[in-house]
Amino acid sequence: MTDKPTTREIDELTGTETTGHEWDGIKELNTPMPRWWLWTFYATIAFSVGYTILFPAWPMISSATGGVLGYSSRAELHQDLSNLQTANQAVVNRITELPLHEILADGELTRFASAAGASAFKVNCSQCHGTGAAGASGYPNLNDDSWIWGGTVDDIYLTIAHGVRSATDPDTRFNLMPNFGADGMLDRAQIKDMVAYVAGLSGIEAESASPEAAQLFLDNCSGCHGADAKGVAELGGPDLTDAIWLYEGSVASIEAQLNRARHGMMPAWSEKLDDVTIKQLAIYVHGLGGGQ
Amino acid sequence: MTTSATDTAPTRIDVEAVNSAKTRQSLYAARRKIFPKRASGSFRRLKWIVMAITLTIYYVTPWLRWDRGEYAPDQAVLLDLANRRFYFFFLEIWPQEFYYVAGLLVMAGVGLFLVTSTVGRAWCGYTCPQTVWVDLFLVVERAIEGDRNARIKLEAAPWSPGKLVKRVSKHAIWLVIGVLTGGAWVFYFADAPSLLQDLVTFQAPVVAYATIGILTATTYTFGGLMREQVCTYMCPWPRIQAAMLDEHSLTVTYNDWRGEPRGKHAKKAAAAGESLGDCVDCNACVAVCPMGIDIRDGQQLECITCALCIDACDDIMTRLGRDRGLISYTTLSDYDANMKVATGPAGIDPANVRRPGGGWVEQLRHTNWRSVIRLRTLIYFAVWALIGVAMLVALSMRSELGLNVLHDRNPLYVLLSDGSIQNGYDVKILNMTNEPRQVTFTINGLPGATLTSPNLADQPTDAIALNVEPDLVLPLRIYVRASADEAARTHQFEMIVRAADDETVTTQQVRFEAPGSVK
């Protein structure tokens, strides 16, 4: 540092004042800020003052100053959402009023309902059925053409609205498969025979069933699964002849189900979602590739 | 020696190059105003013509009509941002075809290389909007305030009603030009006649007014107030273009080899036993320069090669009865060669280049049009033309029936109750014509496979007939089902759309996924 930092010193080469700081003989020039920079700087100061008056800015103890314009990003989002709702209201009204098969006859309405249904599906249904609606063991795949409770759009609507084995909805889809093994309704040999018979219906490799098995099936199972074992949608009795199984399509799984039946449960969504959403969900699921 | 006309030499113009390298100012110094004098001559005439053409293109283009039938706008050039379409006369470009525009930009880039390596910064000097609009603003300035001397006088004069009227009217006209410039710009983005109607009745969108406002401000500021500072300080082109020049590019050059030593008293010098060059140091070249430079300092960053100094100097040379071209378009290599001829042990000596009895010595090189044809420019031209031809071929061969297919990712495949496998696809059929079209959707390469599509084909079929609206995309859900055996064998097939009217066919290869197909 120089001895007399207060003296003004002009650098000879540039004609600019120095700051008086010197390191190893190198002096720092006190070059003035460019004017454009300075004015931009002043402008930002003026802007910031105006901004803090007009908009929410200063943190207080429990909230922040509101600003004289009363702007809030939350209110703006709310406004945007309600604008969107107003814009869609006409279409939503038509979906509310029209029966499902008439909605399906209108391509525009179907596209709208399907898109809205897809979004509602991701929020409410994907936890069990998967984001692609492909299901999992015990949770039906909604993309295929095998429907336990019927695959028309009205069937799907009812299933969604009232659920399956819902404890709270009196109109819920309900059935129970007896525990043929655990409750001693069939003995071990009969169970084994029945497993072989059912496996044979859809070509699963198993021991061959005895000649009595067909009669045994008619006596015990046809009430729900149908005499031809092709299922009874009204009762929720699954088709046993097709390639699709709610649980695994294996000898062990069929035997387990005959011994002690597993039952899934689906909530009655009418308790949680409005009718339009359920309709949209039905349209979406119906359009996944297996709807009837 | 050509010194006979010395007595008629013009009086020296009292002007100093504002941006001369010798008197380079600090970047913090306030700008010194430039008052370019009006030039006249062949280059000035060329600049007027270029100005008229470029301004006409800019202002008139949005008003040109082009009939595209009832389903498309009839504006010849239209950037329809809302509908994501770009119309250019016979062309209509969809967003995914933007590479055609990219191709145009590549052509513009290579074209810039070509032009710059050939004729130097011709873009800067003649066609750059900054140059054209500054020229236009100067026309207004001259019409109101007079030429150079009158303007300097007015600038120095104290404020008076007369000065106020002149200044206000000048700025008012500049602003009107600015508004018209911004106004013309927005017409490229909407139907011009209806937008004009909306604009004057205050029905137009806010963004249109905002765009006009911003462009008015930039036009007024850049063209009226900042002028040469935009080129010198803001624009990257001077730096980039300089890199594209080589020693065979034409640049505006002061030919020291015949101009130096400069001086207006040739007789006095001759009496003293010295000979002077052709430059009479009249400063006409400096006075006309819109960039405020002295071309006699040599090639410099600020020079936009507008060639007005050539006009000014040629005028003087003609009046003096000397050869024109003391300042001329010359290549650096010719200039260097001539400088070698002219330079003696004591600097440039006019006696080295002049033949006794008049004319120039034979060793001198005179730049002519041949300088533009050389390997470099030919390569640039070839590349430029190649891209152009490739684009034309691509354009003429492009299909106006598009097919985009996206295979479902979740689930990849679905097992159906009869054991067959179903795959789902999001299919988009693009009708890029301006007529409604009937198309048939089929598949090929998956024996026995059938199609379904919700609502369009609920029962399995092998062809789906569709109507596609003009200039629109038709989105479809397509399900393809194939037997388990076939699905295990074939993982690739093609989807086909065929237009009924002209048999246009577009196909796309598509995957068919089945258990075991994904490793």
Side-chain angles (χ1 to χ4, degrees):
Chain A
M1 302 287 279
T2 53
D3 301 334
K4 289 176 279 180
T6 46
T7 355
R8 282 166 57 97
E9 187 189 4
I10 306 295
D11 174 59
E12 271 177 37
L13 200 62
T14 58
T16 311
E17 198 182 326
T18 71
T19 58
H21 302 163
E22 184 181 340
W23 291 272
D24 296 342
I26 299 170
K27 291 173 182 170
E28 185 188 20
L29 295 183
N30 192 10
T31 309
M33 286 293 176
R35 275 188 308 168
W36 67 265
W37 190 96
L38 214 55
W39 282 109
T40 311
F41 180 56
Y42 293 149
T44 57
I45 293 173
F47 176 85
S48 66
V49 170
Y51 185 92
T52 56
I53 293 170
L54 296 174
F55 289 95
W58 294 104
M60 310 299 273
I61 290 166
S62 60
S63 64
T65 53
V68 297
L69 290 184
Y71 171 83
S72 133
S73 54
R74 195 173 282 265
E76 193 179 53
L77 174 69
H78 189 75
Q79 184 61 42
D80 284 352
L81 287 177
S82 78
N83 287 349
L84 194 65
Q85 207 168 8
T86 316
N88 288 337
Q89 200 56 51
V91 187
V92 172
N93 284 346
R94 290 189 63 203
I95 293 175
T96 313
E97 288 156 15
L98 292 176
L100 285 160
H101 64 270
E102 279 183 43
I103 298 174
L104 279 182
D106 184 323
E108 191 69 23
L109 279 184
T110 306
R111 260 198 291 283
F112 184 92
S114 227
S119 151
F121 188 90
K122 300 277 186 295
V123 176
N124 299 292
C125 315
S126 62
Q127 291 83 347
C128 294
H129 290 286
T131 48
S137 180
Y139 303 98
N141 183 344
L142 305 176
N143 296 284
D144 63 32
D145 58 347
S146 169
W147 299 89
I148 299 170
W149 294 97
T152 68
V153 71
D154 292 309
D155 286 336
I156 295 169
Y157 171 83
L158 281 178
T159 307
I160 300 171
H162 300 293
V164 178
R165 303 185 191 93
S166 161
T168 48
D169 189 325
D171 296 327
T172 192
R173 306 276 202 188
F174 190 87
N175 68 10
L176 279 180
M177 174 158 166
N179 296 330
F180 288 101
D183 293 350
M185 296 166 74
L186 295 174
D187 63 30
R188 286 186 69 88
Q190 287 174 312
I191 295 276
K192 268 213 140 35
D193 206 12
M194 204 74 277
V195 169
Y197 180 78
V198 170
L201 288 174
S202 57
I204 296 171
E205 248 179 72
E207 295 167 24
S208 51
S210 71
E212 296 82 47
Q215 191 55 46
L216 201 60
F217 183 86
L218 278 179
D219 294 345
N220 292 286
C221 314
S222 61
C224 293
H225 291 288
D228 55 359
K230 287 192 176 300
V232 180
E234 295 77 35
L235 301 172
D239 185 341
L240 301 176
T241 64
D242 67 14
I244 293 163
W245 295 85
L246 179 57
Y247 300 97
E248 271 167 72
S250 68
V251 170
S253 173
I254 295 169
E255 188 172 352
Q257 190 70 6
L258 273 165
N259 266 324
R260 193 183 293 278
R262 290 158 289 188
H263 295 109
M265 184 269 172
M266 172 167 157
W269 287 100
S270 57
E271 293 165 5
K272 222 176 158 185
L273 302 175
D274 58 24
D275 191 51
V276 177
T277 310
I278 293 174
K279 274 179 150 173
Q280 289 168 338
L281 277 170
I283 301 269
Y284 169 68
V285 170
H286 183 259
L288 282 175
Q292 292 160 357
Chain B
M1 294 219 185
T2 51
T3 50
S4 57
T6 314
D7 356 39
T8 57
T11 45
R12 188 171 195 271
I13 300 170
D14 184 21
V15 59
E16 188 193 339
V18 166
N19 289 324
S20 171
K22 288 172 198 155
T23 56
R24 175 89 62 208
Q25 300 172 50
S26 146
L27 285 172
Y28 304 107
R31 173 202 184 209
R32 280 164 63 193
K33 249 189 180 170
I34 299 168
F35 301 92
K37 190 170 150 59
R38 194 190 144 109
S40 60
S42 46
F43 287 104
R44 180 64 267 186
R45 208 171 309 121
L46 176 62
K47 273 170 71 74
W48 288 135
I49 294 168
V50 173
M51 181 177 166
I53 293 171
T54 48
L55 288 177
T56 307
I57 290 174
Y58 178 70
Y59 287 110
V60 172
T61 304
W63 298 92
L64 300 177
R65 301 289 105 182
W66 191 267
D67 184 26
R68 296 190 182 87
E70 57 179 312
Y71 297 105
D74 66 346
Q75 186 156 318
V77 177
L78 178 65
L79 275 157
D80 192 347
L81 294 180
N83 298 309
R84 296 180 186 82
R85 296 283 183 275
F86 173 44
Y87 300 96
F88 186 81
F89 296 96
F90 59 96
L91 259 182
E92 180 187 338
I93 288 180
W94 287 34
Q96 67 269 32
E97 298 178 299
F98 203 73
Y99 48 81
Y100 288 120
V101 179
L104 277 180
L105 291 176
V106 172
M107 280 183 79
V110 177
L112 190 71
F113 293 178
L114 172 62
V115 168
T116 308
S117 64
T118 315
V119 288
R121 289 173 57 181
W123 167 259
C124 294
Y126 299 88
T127 44
C128 174
Q130 174 67 17
T131 300
V132 171
W133 260 271
V134 165
D135 244 11
L136 184 63
F137 276 41
L138 274 171
V139 170
V140 174
E141 190 168 282
R142 274 195 203 103
I144 293 173
E145 298 181 350
D147 207 0
R148 177 181 160 80
N149 290 340
R151 298 213 299 279
I152 294 175
K153 234 169 100 182
L154 186 71
E155 176 78 11
W159 281 101
S160 65
K163 181 173 176 176
L164 192 69
V165 167
K166 280 183 177 170
R167 280 287 150 93
V168 168
S169 47
K170 176 179 84 176
H171 287 276
I173 295 175
W174 280 357
L175 277 170
V176 169
I177 295 175
V179 171
L180 292 177
T181 307
W185 180 258
V186 297
F187 292 141
Y188 284 88
F189 298 87
D191 182 54
S194 47
L195 179 61
L196 180 63
Q197 203 175 357
D198 288 350
L199 280 171
V200 295
T201 53
F202 298 102
Q203 307 280 312
V206 176
V207 65
Y209 292 109
T211 306
I212 294 175
I214 290 168
L215 289 179
T216 303
T218 51
T219 309
Y220 172 76
T221 313
F222 290 173
L225 308 180
M226 294 181 68
R227 294 189 179 171
E228 82 287 349
Q229 299 177 96
V230 174
C231 311
T232 310
Y233 302 115
M234 292 169 66
C235 183
W237 277 144
R239 285 84 183 164
I240 299 169
Q241 296 212 1
M244 290 184 245
L245 295 169
D246 61 24
E247 68 274 22
H248 300 295
S249 311
L250 287 173
T251 51
V252 173
T253 308
Y254 166 66
N255 295 308
D256 310 39
W257 51 268
R258 62 169 273 204
E260 299 292 317
R262 65 184 80 153
K264 55 193 293 190
H265 303 296
K267 274 184 182 165
K268 211 184 280 175
E274 296 160 7
S275 64
L276 289 182
D278 281 338
C279 177
V280 292
D281 206 12
C282 65
N283 276 343
C285 54
V286 180
V288 295
C289 182
M291 304 302 293
I293 58 170
D294 186 342
I295 192 66
R296 294 171 300 176
D297 293 341
Q299 191 47 246
Q300 48 207 292
L301 182 144
E302 290 88 348
C303 179
I304 57 170
T305 70
C306 63
L308 293 181
C309 50
I310 298 183
D311 278 349
C313 190
D314 279 352
D315 182 39
I316 301 292
M317 288 298 118
T318 310
R319 277 155 63 187
L320 293 175
R322 301 184 187 181
D323 279 356
R324 293 154 71 99
L326 174 55
I327 302 174
S328 68
Y329 268 111
T330 304
T331 68
L332 186 64
S333 74
D334 286 349
Y335 169 82
D336 280 346
N338 293 345
M339 279 300 274
K340 275 208 189 83
V341 174
T343 311
I348 298 169
D349 185 354
N352 287 343
V353 291
R354 293 186 184 127
R355 265 205 310 248
W360 305 102
V361 296
E362 274 169 18
Q363 299 97 305
L364 287 178
R365 283 167 38 180
H366 301 279
T367 304
N368 62 22
W369 60 270
R370 267 182 247 276
S371 74
V372 306
I373 299 173
R374 28 184 235 278
L375 187 61
R376 182 174 174 182
T377 56
L378 288 177
I379 290 174
Y380 281 149
F381 180 76
V383 172
W384 182 82
L386 209 67
I387 298 170
V389 169
M391 292 226 322
L392 278 178
V393 170
L395 268 175
S396 61
M397 287 175 63
R398 72 173 182 157
S399 170
E400 292 194 315
L401 184 64
L403 175 64
N404 296 339
V405 182
L406 191 65
H407 190 288
D408 280 0
R409 284 159 177 259
N410 180 14
L412 278 173
Y413 53 81
V414 173
L415 174 69
L416 295 181
S417 53
D418 61 359
S420 59
I421 304 295
Q422 176 164 288
N423 279 211
Y425 302 87
D426 277 319
V427 174
K428 284 181 174 157
I429 296 174
L430 291 65
N431 178 11
M432 298 166 79
T433 65
N434 289 316
E435 296 296 330
R437 287 176 115 177
Q438 288 189 322
V439 300
T440 316
F441 180 90
T442 51
I443 57 172
N444 181 35
L446 204 56
T450 55
L451 302 169
T452 53
S453 177
N455 295 326
L456 286 167
D458 287 320
Q459 294 309 311
T461 173
D462 50 11
I464 301 175
L466 301 157
N467 291 316
V468 195
E469 305 274 303
D471 200 38
L472 277 181
V473 177
L474 176 70
L476 291 176
R477 274 299 288 169
I478 294 286
Y479 296 105
V480 177
R481 58 178 71 169
S483 69
D485 292 345
E486 193 53 51
R489 264 196 302 276
T490 316
H491 300 309
Q492 194 94 28
F493 69 105
E494 61 185 5
M495 290 187 169
I496 304 165
V497 279
R498 181 188 300 272
D501 49 359
D502 56 358
E503 291 295 306
T504 311
V505 175
T506 303
T507 61
Q508 189 173 335
Q509 290 291 319
V510 185
R511 291 275 302 166
F512 191 85
E513 305 291 1
S517 74
V518 186
K519 296 280 179 331

